[in-house]
Amino acid sequence: MSAGRTSAQFTAALRNREQLIGYWSLLDSPIAAERLARVGYDYLAFDAQHGLFGYQGMLNNLLATDTKGSTAVGLVRVEANDLTYIGKALDAGATGVIVPLIDNAQDAADAVSAVRYPPLGRRSYGPMRSQLRIGPNPADAHEQTAVLAMIETADGLANVEEICATPGLDGIYVGPSDLRLAIGGATSTDPSVQEEFEQALTRVRKAAEAAGIAAGIHNADGAGAARRLAEGFTFATVAADVVHLQQIATSHLEAARGGAR
């Protein structure tokens, strides 16, 4: 994605199943978001479900993402499949929402309805900040705003084909930690269920491809993201700032201690 790509251009690329790469943020730090937005990622995803910020932190991170020099748009993983949470994220200026714990087609339809204004959905009109980026007209918001359903539960996997066929859904997004637990893993990284996990990912990816919608996945690092994109996922996120901060700090500490001996 080129610098300064708009919400409309991002959403069009997502819907066209073009490859996009994003970064996951958990921190209540607009300074960090401002720097990350200039690295070259296509999007920054701010985690309001498990992240360490409230509404004001989400708003500040989105503001920081939209400043001069940014290559990224801001997405929000909302707290729940709830009309209020989804509406507040969109009103704050999110280009799209990632909706967790989607179990079936009705859940997906509810998420789509929360993103679209009447008569297409149930979103309440009050684009307090988003009107500055996406425009005040419902038709513009429908064209430029994306809704992504998370596949991370046993029911979500079982119903993934029906979920992907939901009218108005722009894409699905795999939550690998929860999905691995859902298929029987003892931990979020349990290697004993790796074969079943890979089979689940193939099913999800093929369901999205058959429906003509985007297929995304969460990844611990860039190498993992590259692998999943090569397999056929259309967008991939590298995660996450708080983890990488610790990893980099640890690596420098180990290097310093090693050099001092």
Side-chain angles (χ1 to χ4, degrees), residues 31 38 49 78 92 100 120 133 146 177 198 206 210 214 224 234 249 257:
I31 301 302
R38 284 153 183 73
Q49 184 188 25
V78 294
L120 301 180
R133 287 184 48 78
S177 295
E198 294 297 334
K206 288 185 175 180
T234 64
R257 284 175 170 167

Side-chain angles (χ1 to χ4, degrees), residues 49-258:
Q49 184 188 25
H50 294 302
L52 307 174
F53 54 81
Y55 174 80
Q56 191 63 48
M58 176 184 71
L59 175 61
N60 288 342
N61 282 339
L62 289 170
L63 284 165
T65 302
D66 291 340
T67 50
K68 184 179 179 181
S70 173
T71 65
V73 300
L75 306 182
V76 173
R77 199 251 295 266
V78 294
E79 295 171 66
N81 189 6
D82 179 273
L83 189 67
T84 298
Y85 293 141
I86 291 171
K88 286 176 76 69
L90 295 177
D91 288 349
T95 292
V97 289
I98 303 169
V99 184
L101 302 171
I102 299 297
D103 286 334
N104 50 53
Q106 184 58 58
D107 286 348
D110 289 344
V112 172
S113 179
V115 171
R116 309 300 178 208
Y117 291 112
L120 301 180
R122 300 179 60 233
R123 180 180 173 187
S124 178
Y125 188 81
M128 293 300 96
R129 174 169 181 266
S130 62
Q131 63 181 305
L132 303 177
R133 287 184 48 78
I134 296 175
N137 297 323
D140 295 329
H142 296 162
E143 178 187 358
Q144 301 174 30
T145 304
V147 54
L148 305 168
M150 289 200 73
I151 305 298
E152 54 185 345
T153 66
D155 285 342
L157 179 61
N159 297 316
V160 67
E161 290 81 11
E162 291 81 2
I163 291 170
C164 288
T166 302
L169 187 69
D170 296 307
I172 49 89
Y173 186 76
V174 174
S177 295
D178 280 319
L179 184 60
R180 193 178 291 264
L181 293 174
I183 62 173
T187 69
S188 62
T189 58
D190 186 354
S192 71
V193 295
Q194 189 64 32
E195 183 176 352
E196 294 88 341
F197 180 72
E198 294 297 334
Q199 290 173 351
L201 294 189
T202 298
R203 179 177 178 180
V204 170
R205 177 169 48 79
K206 288 185 175 180
E209 183 179 8
I213 64 172
I217 187 169
H218 207 69
N219 302 272
D221 51 40
R227 174 190 172 190
R228 298 307 182 187
L229 289 170
E231 290 172 351
F233 281 93
T234 64
F235 68 102
T237 313
V238 180
D241 51 9
V242 66
V243 176
H244 294 160
L245 178 64
Q246 181 178 354
Q247 289 175 345
I248 292 297
T250 299
S251 70
H252 283 292
L253 176 61
E254 291 173 347
R257 284 175 170 167

